[in-house]
Amino acid sequence: MNASTPRPHADADALLRAELTELLPPPPVPEPTAERTEHLRHTVLRTALAASGDGATARPVRAGRPRQGLRLGWIAAPMAACAVVAGVAVLAPRDAPAGSGRVSAGQPASPEAVRILSGAALAAAAAPAPNVPATGYLYVRSLVAHAGRGAEGGAAALPPAHQREVWLSADGSRPGLLREPGAADTELGSEGPVYEVDRPGATPRKTTLEAAPPSVTNPTHAYVATLPTDPAVLLRLIREQTGAGQGDPDQRAFTAIGTLLSETWAPPKVTSALYEAAARIPGVTVLPSAKDAAGREGVAVARTAHGEQTQWIFDRTTSAFLGERTVLTETTSAGSAGTVLGVSAVLAKAAAAAPGELPKG
């Protein structure tokens, strides 16, 4: 077809439609469905939680519902579920050279570790069920010590362990309380401050973010009670909810289970399933002896990732969970191999009527 040959009508119609498409404004973007909005909120939550790293306790982060205008501010994480109540908060940075941190992955948990965790599962299944009313609070008393470094740097130093008490709303709907000696009481679970502006140059106005939904990394007493009791299903759920981010996914799962054991009071069948789920994580080994923050000696199961080893300590006779330790397995600027970065001891879990009130009995 040469330049003088007339085009078919079909080609002319297509050309006209293309020209009109360029001139007309694009159709409006439909509002996301409620299901899509919820999915996006959960994606943002998982992404924020991934920034907490592999070995440290994942901190609950608040995700806000999208609003009109430009949002300026930050996502506040004031330990809404008290994610370091009885766990290990490693303050020393992970500054080992890239690729130098050994990860105890690949191999299944050692038979001895499986035996210890199975014994803990049997003991947990026979323990009394927690009785925390929906309108009440979970009280946890523990001893903790977290290593830190001074402004001048140097190796991390572990201070003496101190008592830590928390009161957590059973259903997560009301603020809790954190109490430590030498410090003012801290309210837990309050809404974090956020500032919004409607247009460039407008005066920011203060508002709050909505609380994140309960999850493995942001647990409430009521949520933990609903966790699956099938170890395989439970481990799959934990992997899904801790799977975002870089690093060793098995260590994130191991750390999340340790946090649930330390900082929540699950029903016997759920606690038993947590131990059985941990026994399915590759790389879990045994330490013949370890001491918690209260000086109680026991046997420990442990997992190593990126130059740090997380240890769960159990009573030799009762198989009760005593506490945790985090220890450097490689020399870094934070300290030499063997340096203890954190230690805890769970002393009591009970129901309380209100924040600041001690359990009865």
Side-chain angles (χ1 to χ4, degrees):
M1 183 180 293
N2 56 40
S4 61
T5 304
R7 296 181 178 182
H9 290 295
D11 289 347
D13 291 342
L15 180 62
L16 179 59
R17 284 195 300 270
E19 292 174 347
L20 288 175
T21 300
E22 294 179 358
L23 295 175
L24 293 175
V29 178
E31 290 291 328
T33 64
E35 180 180 358
R36 177 61 176 164
T37 299
E38 190 68 15
H39 173 73
L40 290 173
R41 294 180 66 210
H42 286 193
T43 300
V44 170
L45 174 65
R46 288 193 299 269
T47 302
L49 287 170
S52 63
D54 296 327
T57 303
R59 293 188 180 184
V61 181
R62 302 182 180 280
R65 202 180 288 274
R67 298 192 184 184
Q68 301 248 333
L70 175 66
R71 168 162 285 185
L72 299 179
W74 57 91
I75 297 179
M79 298 185 295
C82 199
V84 290
V85 171
V88 178
V90 179
L91 303 183
R94 291 171 182 78
D95 48 8
S100 67
R102 296 184 181 86
V103 178
S104 56
Q107 297 298 324
S110 71
E112 183 67 10
V114 172
R115 184 188 68 79
I116 291 173
L117 290 168
S118 296
L122 289 173
N131 183 20
V132 183
T135 57
Y137 287 78
L138 171 61
Y139 170 81
V140 180
R141 179 165 56 89
S142 57
L143 291 177
V144 297
H146 307 145
R149 296 195 289 187
E152 68 281 359
L158 188 72
H162 65 273
Q163 181 171 282
R164 186 184 190 96
E165 296 175 288
V166 292
W167 290 259
L168 303 173
S169 169
D171 61 5
S173 64
R174 289 147 294 142
L177 184 71
L178 165 65
R179 178 171 292 169
E180 294 179 287
D185 288 353
T186 302
E187 186 178 87
L188 302 174
S190 57
E191 300 294 344
V194 175
Y195 293 87
E196 291 183 345
V197 292
D198 295 322
R199 62 186 184 280
T203 301
R205 63 178 185 274
K206 188 175 181 179
T207 182
T208 58
L209 289 174
E210 296 180 4
S215 66
V216 167
T217 53
N218 183 28
T220 64
H221 182 73
Y223 174 81
V224 171
T226 67
L227 288 175
T229 56
D230 182 307
V233 175
L234 179 57
L235 181 58
R236 184 163 58 248
L237 174 66
I238 292 170
R239 290 188 185 280
E240 289 173 356
Q241 296 196 12
T242 61
Q246 300 178 349
D248 181 9
D250 288 327
Q251 187 68 12
R252 289 198 296 271
F254 188 78
T255 300
I257 293 175
T259 300
L260 292 172
L261 294 172
S262 298
E263 302 160 14
T264 67
W265 194 12
K269 289 185 178 180
V270 173
T271 303
S272 178
L274 287 170
Y275 290 126
E276 295 287 2
R280 297 168 182 247
I281 297 177
V284 180
T285 59
V286 168
L287 292 178
S289 179
K291 288 185 179 181
D292 68 5
R296 299 176 297 190
E297 191 272 343
V299 62
V301 297
R303 196 175 190 283
T304 302
H306 307 294
E308 292 180 9
Q309 185 179 76
T310 301
Q311 306 169 1
W312 300 348
I313 306 166
F314 295 91
D315 184 279
R316 295 180 184 279
T317 303
T318 66
S319 295
F321 181 87
L322 299 179
E324 288 186 284
R325 294 171 83 235
T326 297
V327 181
L328 282 178
T329 58
E330 298 180 2
T331 298
T332 71
S333 63
S336 59
T339 298
V340 179
L341 297 180
V343 62
S344 69
V346 180
L347 302 181
K349 295 180 182 180
E357 291 188 16
L358 293 178
K360 296 181 180 179

